[in-house]
Amino acid sequence: MTARIIDGKAVAERVTAGVRDKVAQRIATGRTAPGLAVVLIGENAASQVYVRNKRKTTDAVGMQSLAFDLPASASEEQLVALIDRLNGDRTVSGILVQLPLPKQIDVERIIERIDPRKDVDGFHPYNVGRLVLKLPLLRPCTPYGCMQLLAETGEPLVGRHAVVIGQSNIVGRPMALELLMARCTVTICHSATYDLPGIVRQADIVVAAVGRPSFVQGDWIKPGAIVVDVGINRDAGGKLVGDVDFPAARERAGWITPVPGGVGPMTIATLLANTLRAAELQDATN
């Protein structure tokens, strides 16, 4: 068996094209283009690349890309003051503070400071809480993008056993909530899980989000399973790889996402969709 590839780049292009069309319709009816404020603290090389790609794609769909770059020495109060200003700015539909933040800044305080209606990352406790209650508004970008990739397979999800490897607030936990909402039976695994390979071997759906190159071995994969690899890592030779040993897993899985070209493009596409959604929510309440 050789797994079929879930082409995240192609799905992301469709999502992005849909956002572009809706933004054009907004402008044609006299409404303003959604504005995405992206805040970057410091000069982390990876963060600079992510932010550059986000700003470029925001411009490409006709949204306003608003850049706010602060030095690595910026204080927590400086960042809080900027967020307060963006919360009150009607031209700003969405606010994204690029993570990680410098050590002097409390990440949780910053996340909670963002107006939930402008929380296009979907990290605010209000938005996560709505996901828990099956009443989602702005959904965490990467997990929601993964759900769209699962839908792309055409495989039924109801009743399937899904194993999520990783319990972070950014991917693992909201991913489990998304899968539960799709009526999967969900197991969350982490560093203290007993017999991780044995649990993964039971999974119809595997979502790997541990941040360790080629951590999930091919013989862990149940024949025919769907494998979604969220990881983006560099191996010893500098090659970009995921959390799953792709060549070995592909020989057992039914469907698999590649790295690059799988989950990564969906995160940005879903961010844009969230920004449009945020603009619509604010139109309805302003």
Side-chain angles (χ1 to χ4, degrees):
M1 176 182 293
T2 300
R4 287 166 285 185
I5 298 297
I6 308 172
D7 189 343
K9 184 176 180 182
V11 179
E13 287 174 353
R14 292 204 304 268
V15 172
T16 302
V19 171
R20 184 188 306 115
D21 290 345
K22 290 179 180 178
V23 170
Q25 291 170 14
R26 283 180 61 87
I27 295 171
T29 57
R31 289 177 292 171
T32 58
L36 176 60
V38 179
V39 181
L40 176 63
I41 318 283
E43 299 180 354
N44 178 286
S47 292
Q48 288 178 326
V49 171
Y50 294 150
V51 166
R52 185 163 60 247
N53 289 339
K54 289 169 183 175
R55 290 171 176 167
K56 179 180 178 181
T57 312
T58 301
D59 289 334
V61 298
M63 293 183 181
Q64 301 176 68
S65 178
L66 309 169
F68 297 89
D69 295 347
L70 301 179
S73 59
S75 70
E76 186 174 308
E77 295 308 320
Q78 284 178 295
L79 181 53
V80 166
L82 172 58
I83 290 171
D84 287 347
R85 179 159 62 87
L86 297 175
N87 281 339
D89 187 340
R90 289 197 171 190
T91 67
V92 175
S93 308
I95 302 169
L96 184 151
V97 178
Q98 181 65 44
L99 303 179
L101 295 177
K103 292 181 180 179
Q104 73 271 16
I105 298 177
D106 181 343
V107 175
E108 298 306 323
R109 183 187 180 200
I110 297 306
I111 289 172
E112 292 192 34
R113 196 77 177 196
I114 297 171
D115 183 338
R117 298 180 306 162
K118 297 188 177 187
D119 167 41
V120 289
D121 262 334
F123 294 162
H124 193 284
Y126 174 82
N127 285 318
V128 176
R130 290 195 64 104
L131 185 58
V132 170
L133 297 174
K134 299 186 290 185
L135 298 169
L137 283 179
L138 299 176
R139 298 155 82 158
C141 295
T142 299
Y144 189 33
C146 290
M147 294 306 295
Q148 293 174 77
L149 293 178
L150 289 172
E152 185 71 8
T153 69
E155 301 286 348
L157 302 183
V158 175
R160 307 293 288 277
H161 183 196
V163 171
V164 179
I165 311 172
Q167 60 165 345
S168 75
N169 291 340
I170 294 173
V171 180
R173 291 170 187 258
M175 187 74 240
L177 293 171
E178 288 281 2
L179 289 162
L180 277 173
M181 196 160 59
R183 301 193 66 203
C184 293
T185 299
V186 182
T187 301
I188 305 176
C189 298
H190 46 75
S191 59
T193 297
Y194 176 75
D195 189 20
L196 176 61
I199 293 175
V200 176
R201 289 186 181 107
Q202 301 172 32
D204 303 305
I205 300 164
V206 178
V207 181
V210 292
R212 294 175 61 182
S214 302
F215 174 75
V216 178
Q217 301 301 298
D219 65 2
W220 297 9
I221 304 302
K222 178 180 178 180
I226 304 172
V227 178
V228 178
D229 191 347
V230 180
I232 301 178
N233 316 285
R234 295 282 179 184
D235 66 11
K239 181 182 177 182
L240 197 65
V241 297
D243 289 349
V244 177
D245 181 351
F246 180 85
R250 191 180 183 189
E251 295 305 311
R252 293 174 65 87
W255 294 87
I256 192 169
T257 60
V259 177
V263 175
M266 289 302 300
T267 298
I268 294 179
T270 307
L271 170 67
L272 298 176
N274 272 356
T275 303
L276 176 61
R277 176 69 170 139
E280 293 169 344
L281 290 171
Q282 290 159 55
D283 287 346
T285 56
N286 287 336

